[in-house]
């Protein structure tokens, strides 16, 4: 009777050990702390393994050896499983315990947009490139000769007043260029003819910053020098340009003007894109908007650059990129272009 009771107790204990072994084998690590929780539950000083071990005192002597072996195997099984779990924790589980799904698509990177001045500059360049104009660039810090004197603007010439700029105090002969015409001079000085270039770039003037003026802005100038270049060539080139830029319906007109570097000189207007010539605030109710200055290259310039003005002639033109951009996108304040306000810049997109 006593014997069978003990036997029943042993059976129950063996069953319990089997249940624990199943639990241990199927234990799932949910986060970094799970291995430690496992250790406390099974291998701690009040853990289940220790608990089962204490049962050995109730086992009859003749069964102690056999039972002791079972308990020992159980303990080793629990310990080796703990080692396994510990390795998994330190090698694979992230700190938070959140599993990463590597098959999910990644976060989209914000692509940004081109600056409106760059969009318009690139468009101007591509139109003139189709007519055979090459892009030429030059320095933004320039000497007096290339910025003024060579362009028929000698010292004390009153037109210099309109182009006050920033001078380098260590050497007053150096300044920030007031136009990209310095590039034209440098190209003409090379003496390789014919010349057919456009010069995009940043220029500087000592101006009070306002909605219509800034101390720096951007220009594209063009120069074509060859034999037999006439005002008709100039007119047709610029007409093609504005049609490509603003649409086939745009009209042009030339008004006589004065520039020291061209003779004759003209301002070119286009018909107002907003009111189609009827009159509005943008065109000051004239129906026309001024977009660029142009003219036939002054013979003095050719001679200054050692080009025979008896043999060669040419035309030149210059426009402000800001002005074209303001007309194209109806931007009313020049300062927006340099304020880096994303609310403004995000409105422009370009594929290139
Ligand atoms: Zn108008």
């Amino acid at each position: 009777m006593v014997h069978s009771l003990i036997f029943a107790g042993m059976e129950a204990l063996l069953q319990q050990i089997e249940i624990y072994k199943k639990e241990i084998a199927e234990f799932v690590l949910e986060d970094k702390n799970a291995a430690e929780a496992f250790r406390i539950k099974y291998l701690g000083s009040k853990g289940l393994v220790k608990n089962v071990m204490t049962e050995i005192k109730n086992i009859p002597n003749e069964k102690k050896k056999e039972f002791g072996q079972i308990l020992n195997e159980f303990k080793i099984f629990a310990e080796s499983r703990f080692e396994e779990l510990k390795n998994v924790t330190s090698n694979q589980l992230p700190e938070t315990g959140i599993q990463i799904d590597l098959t999910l698509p990644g976060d989209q990177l914000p692509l940004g947009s081109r600056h409106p001045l760059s969009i318009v500059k690139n468009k101007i360049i591509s139109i003139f490139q189709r007519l055979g104009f090459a892009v030429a660039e030059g320095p933004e810090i320039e000497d007096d000769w290339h910025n003024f004197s060579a362009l028929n603007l000698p010292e004390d010439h009153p037109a210099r007043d309109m182009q006050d700029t920033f001078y380098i105090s260590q050497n007053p002969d150096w300044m920030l260029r007031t136009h990209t015409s310095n590039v034209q001079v440098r190209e003409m000085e090379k003496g390789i003819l014919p010349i057919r270039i456009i010069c995009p770039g940043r220029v500087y003037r000592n101006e009070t910053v306002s909605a219509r003026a800034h101390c720096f802005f951007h220009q594209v100038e063009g120069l074509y020098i060859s034999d037999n270049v006439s005002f008709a060539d100039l007119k047709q080139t610029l007409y093609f340009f504005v049609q490509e830029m603003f649409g086939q319906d745009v009209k042009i007109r030339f008004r006589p003007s004065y520039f020291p570097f061209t003779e004759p000189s003209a301002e070119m207007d286009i018909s107002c894109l907003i009111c189609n010539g009827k009159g509005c605030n943008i065109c000051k109710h004239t129906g026309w908007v001024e977009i660029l200055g142009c003219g036939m290259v002054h013979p003095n310039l050719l001679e200054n650059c050692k080009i025979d003005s008896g043999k060669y002639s040419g035309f030149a033109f210059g426009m402000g990129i800001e002005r074209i951009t303001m007309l194209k996108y109806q931007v009313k304040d020049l300062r927006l272009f340099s304020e880096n306000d994303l609310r403004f810049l995000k409105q422009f997109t370009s594929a290139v």
Side-chain angles (χ1 to χ4, degrees):
M1 185 70 178
V2 172
H3 193 83
S4 66
L5 260 179
I6 290 168
F7 185 72
M10 273 177 62
E11 277 297 298
L13 202 54
L14 285 171
Q15 272 177 18
Q16 192 58 54
I17 287 171
E18 284 308 309
I19 291 169
Y20 288 158
K21 275 170 99 170
K22 197 162 181 284
E23 265 180 36
I24 288 167
E26 290 170 357
F27 188 86
V28 176
L29 279 176
E30 276 166 358
D31 59 47
K32 208 172 167 21
N33 300 321
E36 179 59 11
F38 175 92
R39 192 192 64 78
I40 292 167
K41 183 175 178 186
Y42 294 101
L43 300 168
S45 55
K46 290 176 182 169
L48 294 172
V49 172
K50 203 138 211 175
N51 213 12
V52 173
M53 298 290 259
T54 57
E55 292 294 326
I56 194 122
K57 63 180 187 285
N58 300 323
I59 305 295
N61 283 342
E62 71 273 18
K63 290 274 179 191
K64 268 201 167 76
K65 192 181 170 196
E66 183 195 340
F67 204 77
Q69 211 172 346
I70 292 170
L71 286 176
N72 213 34
E73 277 168 14
F74 173 55
K75 189 179 168 214
I76 290 166
F77 175 70
E79 281 170 351
S80 65
R81 179 77 178 126
F82 172 62
E83 287 302 316
E84 255 177 57
L85 296 173
K86 224 167 49 175
N87 285 338
V88 171
T89 306
S90 55
N91 294 337
Q92 291 165 20
L93 280 186
E95 202 66 32
T96 55
I98 298 165
Q99 301 284 337
I100 299 171
D101 183 351
L102 297 173
T103 63
L104 287 173
D107 289 338
Q108 230 176 13
L109 288 171
L111 199 54
S113 57
R114 266 200 201 283
H115 194 281
L117 294 179
S118 295
I119 296 172
V120 170
K121 182 186 79 178
N122 292 344
K123 172 103 176 157
I124 295 171
I125 290 173
S126 81
I127 294 170
F128 281 105
Q129 275 180 336
R130 280 154 53 200
L131 291 173
F133 284 77
V135 172
E137 289 179 312
E140 289 183 23
I141 301 173
E142 191 52 281
D143 56 34
D144 186 279
W145 170 256
H146 291 99
N147 194 77
F148 288 130
S149 300
L151 290 157
N152 218 16
L153 273 159
E155 271 185 67
D156 305 322
H157 193 290
R160 281 198 183 198
D161 282 352
M162 295 186 294
Q163 296 193 13
D164 189 19
T165 182
F166 304 95
Y167 291 86
I168 311 292
S169 57
Q170 285 167 320
N171 185 347
D173 191 46
W174 292 349
M175 68 197 78
L176 298 183
R177 67 179 179 190
T178 58
H179 41 204
T180 54
S181 309
N182 66 324
V183 185
Q184 300 191 16
V185 175
R186 286 174 179 277
E187 287 298 317
M188 286 193 286
E189 281 176 343
K190 288 179 187 168
I192 305 165
L193 293 155
I195 296 169
R196 186 150 45 185
I197 52 164
I198 49 167
C199 325
R202 180 173 290 182
V203 300
Y204 305 83
R205 303 266 172 102
N206 185 10
E207 299 237 11
T208 307
V209 176
S210 73
R212 299 180 62 83
H214 213 296
C215 58
F216 64 84
F217 54 98
H218 301 79
Q219 283 188 334
V220 175
E221 293 193 358
L223 177 69
Y224 177 37
I225 296 175
S226 188
D227 38 15
N228 284 327
V229 178
S230 71
F231 202 96
D233 297 320
L234 165 65
K235 185 179 172 184
Q236 194 53 41
T237 300
L238 294 178
Y239 188 41
F240 175 80
F241 163 67
V242 293
Q243 281 189 314
E244 291 297 304
M245 194 73 198
F246 298 107
Q248 297 298 308
D249 298 333
V250 72
K251 296 182 189 69
I252 56 168
R253 76 172 184 186
F254 288 83
R255 284 178 292 110
S257 184
Y258 167 75
F259 303 110
F261 20 85
T262 45
E263 180 61 36
S265 304
E267 307 264 11
M268 192 179 92
D269 298 341
I270 57 168
S271 51
C272 180
L273 306 162
I274 313 298
C275 62
N276 289 322
K278 291 189 192 77
C280 70
N281 282 338
I282 301 292
C283 59
K284 294 176 192 153
H285 302 282
T286 62
W288 295 95
V289 184
E290 180 196 324
I291 65 156
L292 56 82
C294 58
M296 301 306 290
V297 177
H298 197 292
N300 285 359
L301 254 78
L302 299 174
E303 297 298 331
N304 282 343
C305 298
K306 304 194 170 48
I307 295 171
D308 184 355
S309 62
K311 186 178 176 196
Y312 291 102
S313 59
F315 67 72
F317 57 87
M319 65 189 98
I321 300 178
E322 275 83 351
R323 180 153 187 83
I324 306 284
T325 310
M326 288 168 91
L327 282 172
K328 193 167 174 62
Y329 294 113
Q330 291 168 38
V331 177
K332 294 202 170 64
D333 193 326
L334 187 73
R335 291 167 292 194
L336 285 166
F337 292 126
S338 51
E339 281 174 348
N340 284 336
D341 188 335
L342 284 179
R343 291 170 301 178
F344 172 70
L345 297 173
K346 274 181 177 170
Q347 297 173 63
F348 303 90
T349 52
S350 170
V352 284

